[in-house]
Amino acid sequence: MAWLIPFAALLTLATGAVILWTNQRRLINRVFSLASLNAALWLFFVYLAAKAGDRHVSDNPIPWLRAASAAGAFFPWILWLLKSAILIADGSPLQAFRRSWPWLAIAMILAALCFTDYFISAYSTPDNPKRGIGYFVYSSASFALYLFFIIQTYGQMRRQTGIRKIETQFLTFNAGIACLLVIVVNGVGNYLDIRAITRLSPIIILGFY
Protein backbone atom coordinates (compact mmCIF):
# COMPACT_ATOMS: atom_id res chain seq x y z
CA MET A 1 0.00 0.00 0.00
CA ALA A 2 3.06 2.24 0.19
CA TRP A 3 2.69 3.05 -3.52
CA LEU A 4 -0.59 4.84 -2.79
CA ILE A 5 1.13 7.82 -1.14
CA PRO A 6 3.37 8.84 -4.08
CA PHE A 7 0.47 8.10 -6.44
CA ALA A 8 -1.76 10.48 -4.45
CA ALA A 9 1.02 13.09 -4.46
CA LEU A 10 1.43 12.88 -8.24
CA LEU A 11 -2.33 12.97 -8.82
CA THR A 12 -2.66 15.99 -6.55
CA LEU A 13 0.19 17.80 -8.28
CA ALA A 14 -1.16 16.95 -11.74
CA THR A 15 -4.65 18.15 -10.83
CA GLY A 16 -3.28 21.48 -9.64
CA ALA A 17 -1.17 21.86 -12.79
CA VAL A 18 -4.16 21.19 -15.06
CA ILE A 19 -6.36 23.66 -13.17
CA LEU A 20 -3.66 26.33 -13.42
CA TRP A 21 -3.09 25.62 -17.10
CA THR A 22 -6.79 26.08 -17.95
CA ASN A 23 -6.80 29.67 -16.72
CA GLN A 24 -3.62 31.09 -15.21
CA ARG A 25 -5.09 34.56 -14.68
CA ARG A 26 -8.01 33.44 -12.52
CA LEU A 27 -7.26 33.84 -8.82
CA ILE A 28 -9.23 30.73 -7.83
CA ASN A 29 -7.18 28.58 -10.20
CA ARG A 30 -3.90 29.96 -8.85
CA VAL A 31 -4.85 29.42 -5.21
CA PHE A 32 -6.17 25.92 -5.93
CA SER A 33 -2.86 25.10 -7.61
CA LEU A 34 -1.06 26.40 -4.52
CA ALA A 35 -3.23 24.12 -2.37
CA SER A 36 -2.42 21.16 -4.63
CA LEU A 37 1.31 21.90 -4.45
CA ASN A 38 1.17 22.11 -0.67
CA ALA A 39 -0.82 18.87 -0.44
CA ALA A 40 1.68 17.13 -2.74
CA LEU A 41 4.58 18.31 -0.57
CA TRP A 42 2.79 17.04 2.54
CA LEU A 43 2.19 13.64 0.93
CA PHE A 44 5.81 13.48 -0.24
CA PHE A 45 7.12 14.16 3.26
CA VAL A 46 4.67 11.65 4.73
CA TYR A 47 5.95 9.04 2.26
CA LEU A 48 9.58 9.70 3.19
CA ALA A 49 8.72 9.52 6.89
CA ALA A 50 6.90 6.21 6.39
CA LYS A 51 9.83 4.75 4.45
CA ALA A 52 12.31 5.91 7.09
CA GLY A 53 10.11 4.49 9.86
CA ASP A 54 9.93 1.11 8.14
CA ARG A 55 13.69 0.80 8.17
CA HIS A 56 14.40 2.88 11.27
CA VAL A 57 17.62 1.03 12.07
CA SER A 58 19.46 3.23 9.59
CA ASP A 59 17.07 6.11 8.88
CA ASN A 60 15.53 8.78 11.08
CA PRO A 61 11.91 9.68 10.20
CA ILE A 62 11.79 12.69 12.55
CA PRO A 63 13.01 15.32 10.03
CA TRP A 64 10.36 14.19 7.54
CA LEU A 65 7.65 14.15 10.21
CA ARG A 66 8.59 17.72 11.11
CA ALA A 67 8.54 18.75 7.44
CA ALA A 68 5.17 17.08 6.83
CA SER A 69 3.63 18.77 9.86
CA ALA A 70 5.08 22.14 8.85
CA ALA A 71 3.59 21.79 5.36
CA GLY A 72 0.27 20.76 6.88
CA ALA A 73 0.25 23.88 9.07
CA PHE A 74 -0.40 26.01 5.97
CA PHE A 75 -3.51 24.12 4.83
CA PRO A 76 -6.01 26.20 6.86
CA TRP A 77 -4.53 29.45 5.52
CA ILE A 78 -4.61 28.24 1.91
CA LEU A 79 -8.20 27.02 2.28
CA TRP A 80 -9.24 30.39 3.70
CA LEU A 81 -7.45 32.11 0.81
CA LEU A 82 -9.23 29.84 -1.66
CA LYS A 83 -12.61 30.56 -0.13
CA SER A 84 -11.88 34.28 -0.20
CA ALA A 85 -10.88 34.04 -3.86
CA ILE A 86 -14.24 32.41 -4.64
CA LEU A 87 -16.31 34.92 -2.69
CA ILE A 88 -14.61 38.05 -4.02
CA ALA A 89 -14.77 36.64 -7.58
CA ASP A 90 -12.89 39.19 -9.70
CA GLY A 91 -11.69 41.18 -6.73
CA SER A 92 -8.11 42.13 -6.00
CA PRO A 93 -5.72 39.26 -5.12
CA LEU A 94 -3.93 41.66 -2.79
CA GLN A 95 -7.20 42.29 -0.95
CA ALA A 96 -7.70 38.56 -0.40
CA PHE A 97 -4.12 38.14 0.80
CA ARG A 98 -4.36 41.04 3.25
CA ARG A 99 -7.49 39.59 4.82
CA SER A 100 -5.78 36.25 5.25
CA TRP A 101 -2.83 37.49 7.33
CA PRO A 102 -4.16 36.21 10.72
CA TRP A 103 -4.42 32.70 9.23
CA LEU A 104 -0.95 33.03 7.71
CA ALA A 105 0.49 34.20 11.04
CA ILE A 106 -0.98 31.19 12.86
CA ALA A 107 0.34 28.88 10.12
CA MET A 108 3.85 30.27 10.44
CA ILE A 109 3.80 29.88 14.24
CA LEU A 110 2.60 26.28 14.01
CA ALA A 111 5.12 25.49 11.29
CA ALA A 112 7.96 26.89 13.40
CA LEU A 113 6.75 24.85 16.38
CA CYS A 114 7.21 21.66 14.36
CA PHE A 115 10.99 22.13 14.33
CA THR A 116 11.38 22.35 18.10
CA ASP A 117 11.83 19.62 20.71
CA TYR A 118 8.50 20.74 22.16
CA PHE A 119 6.90 19.09 19.14
CA ILE A 120 8.87 15.84 18.86
CA SER A 121 11.87 14.99 20.97
CA ALA A 122 15.15 14.50 19.15
CA TYR A 123 15.41 11.18 20.99
CA SER A 124 12.07 9.93 19.69
CA THR A 125 12.10 6.68 17.70
CA PRO A 126 9.41 4.80 15.75
CA ASP A 127 9.26 2.21 18.53
CA ASN A 128 9.31 4.80 21.31
CA PRO A 129 7.70 8.03 20.08
CA LYS A 130 8.19 11.02 22.37
CA ARG A 131 5.78 13.80 21.47
CA GLY A 132 5.96 17.00 23.45
CA ILE A 133 3.37 19.55 24.50
CA GLY A 134 3.95 21.32 21.19
CA TYR A 135 2.51 18.36 19.31
CA PHE A 136 -0.74 18.58 21.25
CA VAL A 137 -0.84 22.35 20.81
CA TYR A 138 -0.36 21.87 17.06
CA SER A 139 -3.06 19.18 16.81
CA SER A 140 -5.56 21.09 18.95
CA ALA A 141 -4.99 24.35 17.08
CA SER A 142 -5.34 22.60 13.70
CA PHE A 143 -8.55 20.90 14.79
CA ALA A 144 -9.98 24.20 16.04
CA LEU A 145 -9.01 26.04 12.85
CA TYR A 146 -10.61 23.46 10.57
CA LEU A 147 -13.75 23.27 12.70
CA PHE A 148 -14.11 27.07 12.68
CA PHE A 149 -13.45 27.13 8.94
CA ILE A 150 -16.07 24.47 8.22
CA ILE A 151 -18.75 26.19 10.32
CA GLN A 152 -17.99 29.61 8.83
CA THR A 153 -17.87 28.27 5.27
CA TYR A 154 -21.16 26.41 5.69
CA GLY A 155 -22.90 29.64 6.73
CA GLN A 156 -21.38 31.57 3.81
CA MET A 157 -22.12 28.76 1.35
CA ARG A 158 -25.84 28.86 2.14
CA ARG A 159 -25.95 32.51 1.11
CA GLN A 160 -24.36 31.88 -2.29
CA THR A 161 -26.03 30.88 -5.56
CA GLY A 162 -25.02 29.29 -8.84
CA ILE A 163 -21.41 28.42 -9.62
CA ARG A 164 -20.11 30.34 -6.62
CA LYS A 165 -22.10 28.08 -4.27
CA ILE A 166 -20.85 24.96 -6.05
CA GLU A 167 -17.22 26.11 -5.90
CA THR A 168 -17.55 27.03 -2.24
CA GLN A 169 -18.95 23.60 -1.41
CA PHE A 170 -16.60 21.41 -3.44
CA LEU A 171 -13.37 23.39 -3.27
CA THR A 172 -13.44 24.66 0.31
CA PHE A 173 -16.19 23.09 2.45
CA ASN A 174 -15.43 19.53 1.34
CA ALA A 175 -11.69 20.19 1.55
CA GLY A 176 -12.10 21.47 5.10
CA ILE A 177 -13.96 18.29 6.10
CA ALA A 178 -11.25 16.14 4.48
CA CYS A 179 -8.51 17.97 6.39
CA LEU A 180 -10.44 17.67 9.65
CA LEU A 181 -10.78 13.92 9.05
CA VAL A 182 -7.01 13.69 8.52
CA ILE A 183 -6.41 15.41 11.88
CA VAL A 184 -8.83 13.03 13.62
CA VAL A 185 -7.39 9.92 11.91
CA ASN A 186 -3.82 10.91 12.76
CA GLY A 187 -4.78 11.73 16.32
CA VAL A 188 -6.50 8.40 16.87
CA GLY A 189 -3.70 6.47 15.18
CA ASN A 190 -1.00 8.18 17.24
CA TYR A 191 -2.95 7.80 20.48
CA LEU A 192 -3.46 4.08 19.88
CA ASP A 193 0.02 3.77 18.36
CA ILE A 194 -1.38 2.01 15.28
CA ARG A 195 0.42 3.12 12.12
CA ALA A 196 -2.17 1.49 9.87
CA ILE A 197 -4.70 4.09 11.01
CA THR A 198 -2.44 7.09 10.42
CA ARG A 199 -1.63 5.82 6.94
CA LEU A 200 -5.27 6.20 5.95
CA SER A 201 -4.63 9.95 5.58
CA PRO A 202 -3.48 9.76 1.93
CA ILE A 203 -6.66 7.84 1.07
CA ILE A 204 -8.73 10.72 2.46
CA ILE A 205 -6.78 13.24 0.36
CA LEU A 206 -7.08 10.97 -2.68
CA GLY A 207 -10.82 10.72 -2.09
CA PHE A 208 -11.15 14.51 -2.11
CA TYR A 209 -9.33 14.86 -5.43
Side-chain angles (χ1 to χ4, degrees):
M1 191 173 173
W3 62 270
L4 187 60
I5 302 179
F7 173 75
L10 289 174
L11 178 63
T12 301
L13 194 61
T15 302
V18 170
I19 293 297
L20 182 63
W21 178 76
T22 57
N23 191 343
Q24 300 179 15
R25 301 182 64 181
R26 192 170 183 236
L27 179 59
I28 298 173
N29 294 47
R30 283 182 281 173
V31 178
F32 183 84
S33 298
L34 175 63
S36 297
L37 175 61
N38 195 57
L41 280 174
W42 177 76
L43 287 165
F44 177 67
F45 292 141
V46 168
Y47 175 68
L48 292 178
K51 285 188 65 178
D54 287 339
R55 56 178 196 273
H56 61 271
V57 173
S58 59
D59 290 332
N60 182 6
I62 293 179
W64 303 120
L65 290 173
R66 294 185 190 278
S69 299
F74 289 92
F75 279 142
W77 168 63
I78 295 175
L79 286 181
W80 194 95
L81 199 60
L82 181 60
K83 182 186 66 174
S84 181
I86 295 172
L87 296 181
I88 67 173
D90 297 325
S92 168
L94 185 59
Q95 178 187 5
F97 184 80
R98 283 176 176 173
R99 290 180 178 179
S100 73
W101 74 262
W103 292 78
L104 178 59
I106 295 174
M108 294 176 69
I109 292 172
L110 292 177
L113 181 63
C114 296
F115 296 98
T116 69
D117 283 344
Y118 293 106
F119 187 74
I120 300 177
S121 171
Y123 301 101
S124 179
T125 64
D127 292 331
N128 185 27
K130 297 180 180 179
R131 303 178 185 91
I133 186 64
Y135 174 84
F136 299 101
V137 170
Y138 175 95
S139 299
S140 300
S142 298
F143 183 87
L145 286 171
Y146 286 125
L147 186 60
F148 173 81
F149 177 83
I150 291 170
I151 294 173
Q152 183 188 59
T153 303
Y154 179 75
Q156 293 171 327
M157 180 180 66
R158 295 185 62 185
R159 296 193 294 270
Q160 305 304 314
T161 58
I163 187 63
R164 190 174 295 182
K165 182 173 184 177
I166 295 173
E167 288 180 333
T168 303
Q169 177 179 348
F170 285 96
L171 296 183
T172 59
F173 182 74
N174 289 356
I177 292 177
C179 290
L180 186 63
L181 285 175
V182 169
I183 294 294
V184 172
V185 165
N186 285 336
V188 172
N190 289 328
Y191 179 77
L192 298 177
D193 196 22
I194 302 176
R195 293 186 195 176
I197 296 179
T198 60
R199 291 182 182 181
L200 292 175
S201 299
I203 298 178
I204 297 175
I205 299 298
L206 188 61
F208 168 71
Y209 276 90

